[in-house]
Amino acid sequence: MNELFQILGSALWFILPAYVANATPVVLGGGRPIDAGKKFTDGRPIFGAGKTVQGFLAGLVAGTFVGLLQGIAAGTLSRYLALGFLLALGALLGDLLGSFIKRRLGIKRGGLAPGLDQLSFVVVALLAASPLALPSWEIVLTIIIITLPIHLATNFGGYKLGLKSKPY
Ligand code: CTP
Ligand code: MG
């Protein structure tokens, strides 16, 4: 039991910058879409209007800032700062990739894509951070498992608070 809590704690601690990077655009995003409204070769949006430059940059700054705070707390600043930046960048790129895939599948902005919506950001965040830090497989698996309910719960919370138009 104790060991389980230890793994859970390590998983949350590790992936925290990615969570913050993924959630920040919901609050601070808006404005010019990254794809500038352009269409892909299939005639559908490249990413769609839900992926904005401002949201991307705000997420990158916020996630990196979490890394900075973790570094201060842990006493190894440069490593956590770099890790926070990579996790945040990966999370935002993964979220973009998820939207790109949704558009290719013909799913409109805000449309449901179970699995993809919850996991694309976290998987690419882990990949982006892997040159610097590769957690044990137990921690990676835990991160993937806990992200599903956490993402669903926080999105529902964001919907209830009026931050999101969809509850997922
Ligand atoms: N957002 C943003 N910039 C980003 C990512 C997200 O501004 N790079 C904001 C948008 O307002 C978006 C909201 O955060 O609507 C929620 O993000 P998400 O659920 O990922 O986007 P969706 O609107 O659902 O679009 P998609 O179908 O492409 O996932
Ligand atoms: Mg969505």
Side-chain angles (χ1 to χ4, degrees):
M1 199 62 183
N2 224 342
E3 202 184 344
L4 186 67
F5 277 116
Q6 229 162 41
I7 291 175
L8 261 174
S10 302
L12 278 171
W13 174 255
F14 185 82
I15 206 64
L16 196 61
Y19 281 178
V20 171
N22 188 247
T24 300
V26 178
V27 185
L28 297 180
R32 186 180 185 277
I34 292 171
D35 65 11
K38 289 202 180 73
K39 302 276 193 287
F40 197 59
T41 50
D42 55 9
R44 293 172 179 144
I46 303 176
F47 303 118
K51 304 293 119 134
T52 67
V53 177
Q54 192 180 304
F56 191 99
L57 294 177
L60 194 58
V61 170
T64 307
F65 185 67
V66 170
L68 176 79
L69 294 181
Q70 288 180 312
I72 292 170
T76 43
L77 196 69
S78 60
R79 179 178 168 76
Y80 272 100
L81 192 60
L83 210 49
F85 175 77
L86 289 177
L87 285 166
L89 184 65
L92 291 152
L93 291 176
D95 182 52
L96 267 184
L97 176 68
S99 291
F100 180 79
I101 294 171
K102 282 170 77 174
R103 298 303 92 80
R104 304 291 71 74
L105 295 172
I107 303 168
K108 293 216 166 62
R109 175 201 173 173
L112 204 56
L116 201 58
D117 281 331
Q118 293 80 30
L119 293 179
S120 64
F121 85 94
V122 88
V123 169
V124 179
L126 286 169
L127 285 175
S130 63
L132 205 62
L134 196 62
S136 70
W137 70 266
E138 288 101 329
I139 290 181
V140 171
L141 189 67
T142 304
I143 288 171
I144 289 173
I145 292 170
I146 64 176
T147 298
L148 287 161
I150 289 175
H151 191 271
L152 287 168
T154 50
N155 276 30
F156 188 71
Y159 168 75
K160 281 286 175 195
L161 289 170
L163 296 169
K164 287 190 96 247
S165 59
K166 300 269 164 60
Y168 44 82

